[in-house]
Each structure stands twice: as structure tokens, then as C-alpha cells.
């Protein structure tokens, strides 16, 4: 990390970083701006970087060089957007190297926080820019580029993407498919045919497959519902939580609290089942001297991750018991990612149709009740 900071400081002194503190990405001095291909690649990359500063902006130019399937922005869940309080997002292109028909860009992303002496590094991304014969430069989906060197094995319509030396456990893979098919049938949603399950052996490898060479805290699993693509760092064929996101992909535009809650209720979280997660959340609540507010937990999914996921699953559980699978689906369609936390809580409360019952007021006792119940099973 010191090396990256050292690089930035001396780049400034040498005048090679360019507009380091502006909205356009800075350019390190090693980047050959006399190379026409590099300049074309940088021009299209600047367009993408510009969308990171407008909350409603979506870059539509991602390209799947092997088809039209994977055009989703794979960086969107890795890189923050816009200005957040006293923190701001910046980027610097560290290198731009021609490679066959591509230019490979490596970009450092960081934030400057008011009052902090040094910038906080977020990520280093690796981006392939295809230079087409039609004169158009296109940003290529990084996962697709990584998949070129991997092999695929189809099980029940689900394609496992694995290293060439990885031996697929077909029994475990079939169990995963059966689980997904059971959810599709129970909730009456589309099956997982033509979906992809990418197996990595570590969180850093998962990040690298997504075109992220460094990330402060890579996820254990990651789903891209619109692309029907899931990546796991667990090194095996089983990941019910993230695959639930693929099963319920039609609701990916719902509020993330409820979308995650559904995946927790049916698939647990990482190595914990839903019931185990509720027990852990109950232990956490009993250790606290002050009862937290639901609004505060929903607004802090990272700092309050245990309670965030457990309560989200609990709410979906309650809706399922009250109104079944159709009630759960209806709830998810009534809110979106832009719905405020207050509005989400109002919709949740209203859906229970009981004047004396409000999940925003009763979640605490309800969670402790289930924690005790599951502990005694």
C-alpha cells in the first residue's frame, strides 16, 4: 500500500499524473500518449469514468466480444458512485499496454476524505479495451475476458466455469441445481437454465476474475442477476445464498434490503443457515445495552452486517408465513433500489395488514423469539 502512495506522490512531483484531483482520470507518465491506440482506449475509458459521478448514469457501452450476453457493468458493485459526504472518488490510469487487438488499462481508484492526510485506496482495476476495425473502441466485460482461459461444464442447464485443473464434483453440482429448481417451483419464477457459476479458490482470485487486481475487502461471493452470473470464492459447487439471487433475478431491481433478505431466508449467509444466522443475531442483540433502531441498521449494511442480513431474512420469513410466496414477490415489487428506508419500512408494515402489528416495532422481540426457538431445536 505504501508503494501505491509513493507512486502517487512522486507522480505529482514529476508532473506525470495529469489532472489527479479532477473528474477525469489522471494519467501516469509511463502511459504512451503518442500511441494512437492508447489514446483511443483512454478516450472511451474517460466516458466510463464520467458516469461514476452521476447517480442515475449507467454506462451502456460494455461489450461482450463473444456474444451479446454479458454487457452488464461488472465494476458497478465494486466502485462507489458520486460524492458521499466528505469523501470523494478519484482515479489514475497507471498503465496502458497494447495486447493483440486490445489495450489493457490498469487504473487506481481512491478516495480523499476531509481531514485525512493520505488518500484511501479502493481498488486497482484491469480493463480490456477492444480496438475494432470499424474505428470504435469498446470496453470489454472483464469476467468474459477471464473466462477465455477457463473450462465449462454443464449440469442440469447450469454452467460451471472452473480452472483447467479443477475436478468438478458432479454430485455437489447436481445438489445445487436441485436446490435452485425447488425454489423456482415454489415461488413460480424462471429456472436457472443458461446461468453461470464461476468457482474461484480465494477472494482475491474472485476479484481478479472481475477485473479488479486489488480491492480492500473482496467479497466471498458475488451475483450479477441480470447476466445470470455468480462467482464464488469458496472453491466448491455449493453457494445457496448467491444462487438465490440468480433464481430471483427478476426482483433484482427491488430494494437491496429485501432482495438480500429473500436470499438469506432461503439460502442463509455464506456458511450459516438462516436459522444459525438468527441465533447469532440474537446473541448479538442480548450483548448490546441499547436496542438499535431498525432504520439505523438498514442504513448501515456493512457496519451492521449481521443484524442487517438477519433482520432482512426475518422480515421475508414473516411475509412468507403471512401471505406465502406470492406475498413475498408482491412485497419485492413494491419497492426499488431508490426507495427511501422510511418508505421501505412503511411498505413492510402495511403489508402485514394487522393494526396491532408493526415489524418496525416488533422485530426485536420477534428475532429473539426465533433465536430461542432455533437454539432449542
Amino acid at each position: 500500500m505504501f508503494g501505491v502512495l509513493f507512486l502517487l506522490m512522486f507522480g505529482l512531483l514529476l508532473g506525470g499524473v495529469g489532472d489527479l484531483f479532477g473528474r477525469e482520470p489522471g494519467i501516469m507518465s509511463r502511459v504512451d500518449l503518442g500511441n494512437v491506440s492508447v489514446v483511443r482506449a483512454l478516450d472511451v475509458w474517460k466516458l466510463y469514468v464520467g458516469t461514476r459521478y452521476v447517480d442515475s448514469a449507467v454506462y451502456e457501452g460494455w461489450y461482450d466480444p463473444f456474444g451479446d450476453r454479458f454487457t452488464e457493468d461488472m465494476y458497478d458493485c465494486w466502485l462507489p458512485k458520486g460524492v458521499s459526504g466528505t469523501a470523494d472518488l478519484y482515479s489514475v490510469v497507471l498503465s496502458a499496454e497494447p495486447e493483440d487487438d486490445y489495450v489493457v488499462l490498469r487504473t487506481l481508484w481512491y478516495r480523499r476524505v476531509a481531514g485525512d492526510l493520505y488518500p484511501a485506496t479502493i481498488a486497482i482495476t484491469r480493463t480490456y479495451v477492444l480496438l475494432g476495425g470499424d474505428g470504435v473502441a469498446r470496453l470489454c466485460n472483464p469476467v468474459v475476458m477471464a473466462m477465455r482461459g477457463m473450462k465449462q461444464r454443464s449440469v442440469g442447464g447450469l454452467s460451471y466455469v472452473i480452472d483447467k485443473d479443477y475436478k468438478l464434483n458432479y454430485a455437489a453440482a447436481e445438489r445445487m441445481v436441485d436446490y435452485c429448481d425447488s425454489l423456482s417451483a415454489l415461488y413460480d419464477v424462471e429456472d436457472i437454465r443458461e446461468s453461470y457459476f464461476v468457482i474461484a479458490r480465494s477472494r482475491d482470485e474472485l476479484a481478479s476474475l472481475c477485473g479488479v487486481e486489488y480491492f480492500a475487502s473482496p467479497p466471498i461471493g458475488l451475483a450479477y442477476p441480470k447476466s445470470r452470473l455468480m462467482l464464488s470464492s469458496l472453491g466448491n459447487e455449493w453457494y445457496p445464498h448467491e444462487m438465490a439471487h440468480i433464481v430471483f433475478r427478476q426482483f433484482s431491481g427491488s430494494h437491496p434490503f429485501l432482495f438480500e433478505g429473500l436470499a438469506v431466508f432461503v439460502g442463509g449467509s455464506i456458511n450459516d443457515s438462516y436459522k444459525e444466522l438468527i441465533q447469532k443475531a440474537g446473541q448479538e442483540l442480548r450483548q448490546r445495552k441499547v436496542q438499535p433502531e431498525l432504520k439505523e441498521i438498514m442504513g448501515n449494511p456493512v457496519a451492521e452486517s449481521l443484524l442487517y442480513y438477519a433482520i432482512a431474512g426475518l422480515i421475508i420469513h414473516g411475509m412468507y408465513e403471512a401471505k406465502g410466496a406470492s406475498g413475498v414477490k408482491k412485497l419485492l415489487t413494491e419497492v426499488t433500489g431508490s426507495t427511501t428506508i422510511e418508505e421501505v419500512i412503511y411498505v413492510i408494515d402495511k403489508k402485514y395488514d394487522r393494526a396491532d402489528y408493526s415489524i418496525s416495532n416488533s422485530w426485536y422481540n420477534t428475532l429473539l423469539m426465533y433465536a430461542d426457538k432455533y437454539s432449542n431445536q
Side-chain angles (χ1 to χ4, degrees):
M1 186 54 58
F2 178 78
V4 172
L5 179 61
F6 181 87
L7 181 68
L8 282 173
M9 298 301 289
F10 273 81
L12 278 171
L13 293 175
L14 294 174
V17 178
D19 187 17
L20 180 60
F21 301 107
R23 291 302 188 186
E24 283 196 357
I27 309 293
M28 290 299 292
S29 57
R30 65 166 283 183
V31 176
D32 184 6
L33 297 179
N35 186 309
V36 175
S37 296
V38 168
V39 172
R40 287 174 59 196
L42 289 173
D43 285 344
V44 70
W45 183 234
K46 289 177 182 178
L47 293 177
Y48 173 75
V49 171
T51 65
R52 303 313 305 175
Y53 300 101
V54 182
D55 287 339
S56 60
V58 177
Y59 184 78
E60 302 288 358
W62 286 100
Y63 177 67
D64 179 353
F66 308 107
D68 296 322
R69 169 66 179 279
F70 301 106
T71 58
E72 191 174 355
D73 183 1
M74 297 290 156
Y75 291 148
D76 195 46
C77 58
W78 294 85
L79 301 172
K81 262 203 162 188
V83 178
S84 175
T86 56
D88 210 348
L89 177 68
Y90 298 89
S91 63
V92 180
V93 177
L94 303 177
S95 64
E97 300 296 332
E99 183 178 302
D100 298 327
D101 295 329
Y102 303 88
V103 171
V104 184
L105 304 177
R106 285 177 172 81
T107 305
L108 169 69
W109 299 82
Y110 67 99
R111 298 198 105 155
R112 295 189 60 85
V113 182
D116 287 357
L117 180 60
Y118 301 114
T121 301
I122 296 173
I124 297 176
T125 56
R126 178 187 67 256
T127 309
Y128 288 84
V129 184
L130 176 64
L131 305 176
D134 55 3
V136 179
R138 298 178 175 89
L139 301 182
C140 294
N141 184 297
V143 177
V144 175
M145 299 301 293
M147 286 167 59
R148 293 181 303 173
M150 305 175 77
K151 62 183 182 182
Q152 296 185 23
R153 295 291 182 267
S154 180
V155 179
L158 175 62
S159 293
Y160 277 90
V161 183
I162 53 182
D163 283 340
K164 292 181 178 179
D165 61 345
Y166 184 91
K167 186 176 181 180
L168 190 72
N169 183 331
Y170 280 89
E174 289 171 359
R175 177 180 171 227
M176 186 78 264
V177 173
D178 289 343
Y179 161 82
C180 293
D181 286 345
S182 68
L183 289 180
S184 297
L186 180 61
Y187 285 84
D188 190 23
V189 294
E190 290 186 51
D191 60 36
I192 57 163
R193 300 304 180 265
E194 299 184 7
S195 297
Y196 290 80
F197 188 129
V198 183
I199 297 179
R201 290 188 172 91
S202 69
R203 294 161 67 187
D204 282 336
E205 183 182 353
L206 183 154
S208 180
L209 291 172
C210 293
V212 182
E213 295 191 343
Y214 168 83
F215 195 72
S217 182
I220 295 173
L222 189 60
Y224 294 97
K226 294 179 181 178
S227 296
R228 287 173 288 173
L229 171 69
M230 195 281 286
L231 299 97
S232 168
S233 69
L234 297 178
N236 59 52
E237 295 77 7
W238 180 253
Y239 206 143
H241 176 96
E242 294 299 340
M243 281 306 298
H245 286 313
I246 306 302
V247 172
F248 298 112
R249 57 190 177 275
Q250 70 188 78
F251 304 108
S252 62
S254 182
H255 194 279
F257 180 71
L258 296 179
F259 192 54
E260 288 294 343
L262 178 55
V264 167
F265 176 54
V266 301
S269 178
I270 310 175
N271 294 316
D272 290 324
S273 68
Y274 167 66
K275 292 182 178 181
E276 290 169 336
L277 192 68
I278 290 295
Q279 292 177 59
K280 287 185 176 181
Q283 294 171 359
E284 170 68 20
L285 286 177
R286 287 192 168 96
Q287 292 174 359
R288 297 197 182 189
K289 296 180 180 180
V290 179
Q291 176 182 331
E293 295 289 334
L294 178 58
K295 179 180 176 180
E296 295 176 1
I297 295 171
M298 291 175 63
N300 293 280
V302 176
E304 294 281 10
S305 61
L306 173 57
L307 293 181
Y308 180 91
Y309 284 96
I311 296 169
L314 181 71
I315 288 172
I316 297 298
H317 181 183
M319 180 57 63
Y320 183 82
E321 287 195 336
K323 300 194 175 183
S326 61
V328 171
K329 293 194 295 182
K330 185 171 177 55
L331 174 63
L332 267 71
T333 59
E334 293 201 9
V335 293
T336 68
S338 60
T339 305
T340 66
I341 292 175
E342 292 83 359
E343 290 172 329
V344 172
I345 293 175
Y346 172 77
V347 171
I348 293 170
D349 286 342
K350 184 179 68 173
K351 281 297 162 185
Y352 280 91
D353 283 342
R354 288 169 54 183
D356 62 337
Y357 187 84
S358 166
I359 191 64
S360 56
N361 294 323
S362 66
W363 68 266
Y364 183 87
N365 291 329
T366 304
L367 193 150
L368 291 179
M369 178 194 72
Y370 276 108
D372 291 339
K373 176 182 178 180
Y374 296 148
S375 296
N376 295 325
Q377 289 182 349

